[in-house]
């Protein structure tokens, strides 16, 4: 049992990961208390959460939503202070009273508040993979300087972390090989269109793309899972988190999502982490690490699961995966360009402005037209992100 109660900021509290995080926290009032909750616009969700968890601060990115939340909380007699905007997000991520930050804002919008938490040396539970994909080099430098503890929430990376040796410093400083690791096996469900006839893919709707067979998630990551760009982002994320080269990460399609990823050692041992597909397991693992706590997740019923299947990814069906692998190998600002083009393309698909199969076309064209450079600071990353967004928007407007 921990001696002190940990104070937690949940960035992206109104989202899928945010809600699961609060569910785990609520099971352990003796261990955790909520310092701040944040969202963009869904102030009603945040109002309910503030009444339940009574945080010191609630931050809305959007000013109109902040006013609505403020009015509602005052009406309900809740004393949570409402703040607004980017500076406030960074402030609650780095406040001296905060021990742990759950980084669960979706997309590039999470980069600055997550970096603020890392700079302040917090324990950072990283769900916001896009931040690491965009600025992995900078991130890892700041982690080393500040002494922050970065723990993966993405189910695959949390699984890999659990299967890797306990002496993290060894592989982080000298590479995976020095720890006897041959490769990482990154599992992928293949999403909702794994078996859809290729000729039907141009017709799929946002509703179909968001209906993931195994996981319940926010819209953007659901579309990323349907294109398998998510697995590409995860490959890049794994390289930064575990000091791996892209060639050391093999993507394996495993439709049941029971094995969350594996690590193969040079003696031929393959270690896997298994569990029900419920994000409360990696969230509880990272919250309590190196201890273990209850997460609310049911026991895995292996008899009912009955079988585990594996296959190679189909690059004809999932061109986004190949594009992400190429960006990982190019490195520099290529992953930031890939991520920005994808964010614009996915938003346009969700607004029914482009077809599902055009997401890959946007990314491919943007990557081929913007040259990757070595980013020396955050400004370079942000410039690449802005250039890629503008080009993606321009291409989509011309269609
Ligand atoms: P959701 O869309 O469900 O939630 C996103 C959260 O971010 C919401 O709180 C949202 O606020 C907030 N947000 C959105 N845009 C902004 C912005 N511009 N500024 C500030 N806050 C913003 O996403 P998920 O919870 O599914 O995913 C969160 C992150 O976790 C993503 O990076 C995803 O890749 C990663 N992840 C998610 C998994 C899952 O199971 N869901 C699994 C593994 C990783 P509002 O509600 O007001 O829009
Ligand atoms: Mg994942």
């Amino acid at each position: 049992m921990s001696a002190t109660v940990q104070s937690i900021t949940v960035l992206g509290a109104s989202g899928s990961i945010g809600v699961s995080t609060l569910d785990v926290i609520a099971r352990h009032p003796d261990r955790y208390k909520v310092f701040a909750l944040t969202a963009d616009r869904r102030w009603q969700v945040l109002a309910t959460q503030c009444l339940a968890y009574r945080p010191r601060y609630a931050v809305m990115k959007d000013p109109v939503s902040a006013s609505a939340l403020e009015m509602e909380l005052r009406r309900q007699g809740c004393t949570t202070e409402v703040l607004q905007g980017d500076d406030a997000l960074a402030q609650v991520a780095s406040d001296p009273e905060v021990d742990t930050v759950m980084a669960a804002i979706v997309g590039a919008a999470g980069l600055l508040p997550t970096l603020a938490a890392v700079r302040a040396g917090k324990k950072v539970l990283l769900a916001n993979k896009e931040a690491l994909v965009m600025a992995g080099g900078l991130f890892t430098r700041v982690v080393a300087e500040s002494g922050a503890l970065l723990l993966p929430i993405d189910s695959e990376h949390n699984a890999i972390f659990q299967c890797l040796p306990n002496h993290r410093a060894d592989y982080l400083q000298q590479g995976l090989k020095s720890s006897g690791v041959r490769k990482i096996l990154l599992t992928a469900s293949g999403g909702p269109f794994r078996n859809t006839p290729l000729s039907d893919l141009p017709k799929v709707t946002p509703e179909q793309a968001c209906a993931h067979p195994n996981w319940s998630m926010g819209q953007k990551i659901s579309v990323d899972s349907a294109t398998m760009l998510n697995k590409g982002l995860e490959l890049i994320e794994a390289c930064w988190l575990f000091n791996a080269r892209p060639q050391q990460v093999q993507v394996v399609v495993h439709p049941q999502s029971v094995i969350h990823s594996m690590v193969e050692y040079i003696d031929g041992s393959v270690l896997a982490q298994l569990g029900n597909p419920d994000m409360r397991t990696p969230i509880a693992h990272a919250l309590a690490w190196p201890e273990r706590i209850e997460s609310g997740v049911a026991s895995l019923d292996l008899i009912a699961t009955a079988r585990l299947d594996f296959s190679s990814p189909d690059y004809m069906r999932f061109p986004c995966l190949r594009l992400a692998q190429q960006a990982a190998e190019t490195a520099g600002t290529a992953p930031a360009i890939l991520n920005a083009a994808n964010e614009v393309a996915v938003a346009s698909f969700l607004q029914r402005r482009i077809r599902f199969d055009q997401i890959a076309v946007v990314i491919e064209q943007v990557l081929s037209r913007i040259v990757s450079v070595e980013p020396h600071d955050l400004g370079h990353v942000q410039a690449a992100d802005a250039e890629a967004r503008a080009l993606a928007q321009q291409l989509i407007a011309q269609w």
Side-chain angles (χ1 to χ4, degrees):
M1 181 75 57
S2 51
T4 53
V5 176
Q6 301 277 301
S7 193
I8 303 184
T9 284
V10 184
L11 300 171
S14 54
S16 161
I17 294 286
V19 168
S20 292
T21 304
L22 290 174
D23 181 280
V24 177
I25 288 175
R27 292 165 194 275
H28 304 281
D30 54 326
R31 283 178 173 261
Y32 308 113
K33 65 172 194 273
V34 178
F35 177 80
L37 298 172
T38 85
D40 180 13
R41 287 165 198 272
R42 283 189 280 175
W43 63 268
Q44 294 95 334
V45 180
L46 224 65
T48 310
Q49 293 176 340
C50 286
L51 291 169
Y53 294 92
R54 304 277 162 171
R56 173 96 57 87
Y57 296 109
V59 183
M60 302 300 301
K61 162 86 193 212
D62 172 56
V64 177
S65 309
S67 306
L69 178 64
E70 168 90 39
M71 270 175 55
E72 178 61 13
L73 292 184
R74 295 302 83 88
R75 196 178 68 77
Q76 301 264 9
C78 175
T79 55
T80 296
E81 192 176 328
V82 179
L83 306 175
Q84 182 268 316
D86 289 322
D87 290 349
L89 288 171
Q91 182 194 321
V92 297
S94 57
D95 191 288
E97 280 191 38
V98 173
D99 302 297
T100 300
V101 175
M102 166 56 79
I105 291 175
V106 60
L111 176 61
L112 292 181
T114 306
L115 259 184
V118 173
R119 278 205 182 95
K122 304 298 182 196
K123 174 172 172 178
V124 179
L125 315 186
L126 187 77
N128 179 212
K129 66 190 87 182
E130 296 91 344
L132 201 58
V133 167
M134 290 173 73
L138 178 73
F139 233 90
T140 37
R141 273 201 304 280
V142 179
V143 168
E145 283 160 17
S146 70
L149 174 64
L150 195 60
L151 293 173
I153 292 298
D154 215 342
S155 58
E156 295 78 0
H157 303 74
N158 185 270
I160 294 161
F161 180 75
Q162 293 195 48
C163 296
L164 281 171
N166 284 337
H167 286 284
R168 286 186 312 142
D170 290 351
Y171 62 80
L172 289 181
Q173 282 159 20
Q174 292 155 50
L176 287 172
K177 219 170 158 189
S178 72
S179 292
V181 174
R182 187 179 284 152
K183 63 179 173 185
I184 288 170
L185 296 149
L186 183 67
T187 54
S189 70
F193 306 135
R194 192 171 51 87
N195 295 318
T196 306
L198 284 181
S199 57
D200 287 353
L201 289 183
K203 290 178 271 184
V204 305
T205 63
E207 291 73 21
Q208 290 169 320
C210 288
H212 196 279
N214 306 337
W215 299 93
S216 161
M217 309 182 285
Q219 284 194 315
K220 191 261 178 184
I221 183 176
S222 296
V223 177
D224 286 352
S225 299
T227 60
M228 278 190 81
L229 192 274
N230 181 53
K231 211 47 56 182
L233 297 178
E234 290 185 356
L235 184 150
I236 299 167
E237 183 186 11
C239 289
W240 288 118
L241 283 172
F242 307 120
N243 193 14
R245 285 175 285 110
Q247 301 78 2
Q248 291 175 299
V249 185
Q250 182 186 347
V251 175
V252 179
V253 175
H254 164 48
Q256 290 88 0
S257 299
V258 166
I259 293 183
H260 298 135
S261 277
M262 296 171 263
V263 172
E264 182 180 320
Y265 287 82
I266 47 175
D267 60 6
S269 297
V270 178
L271 302 195
Q273 187 263 359
L274 286 74
N276 285 319
D278 186 323
M279 290 306 294
R280 290 176 301 173
T281 295
I283 290 167
H285 172 266
L287 265 175
W289 186 86
E291 295 174 48
R292 294 273 179 176
I293 55 169
E294 295 257 359
S295 65
V297 177
S299 257
L300 173 64
D301 186 342
L302 271 179
I303 309 297
T305 305
R307 56 182 286 176
L308 303 174
D309 295 303
F310 305 97
S311 60
S312 322
D314 173 353
Y315 289 102
M316 282 285 286
R317 178 179 295 277
F318 299 115
C320 285
L321 179 58
R322 179 71 81 204
L323 290 168
Q325 282 173 332
Q326 284 163 358
E329 275 156 29
T330 306
T333 46
I337 295 165
L338 168 97
N339 178 66
N342 179 58
E343 285 192 27
V344 172
V346 170
S348 302
F349 168 67
L350 288 170
Q351 293 159 7
R352 297 173 212 276
R353 290 175 58 206
I354 64 169
R355 296 192 314 267
F356 180 75
D357 56 310
Q358 289 177 315
I359 295 173
V361 180
V362 172
I363 299 171
E364 200 264 326
Q365 293 200 4
V366 171
L367 273 173
S368 70
R369 291 190 205 182
I370 303 179
V371 180
S372 166
V373 295
E374 198 46 45
H376 294 299
D377 57 29
L378 193 58
H380 284 144
V381 173
Q382 288 172 317
D385 174 87
E387 191 183 359
R389 275 170 207 275
L391 181 55
Q393 259 142 8
Q394 192 189 324
L395 290 168
I396 291 167
Q398 285 165 4
W399 283 346

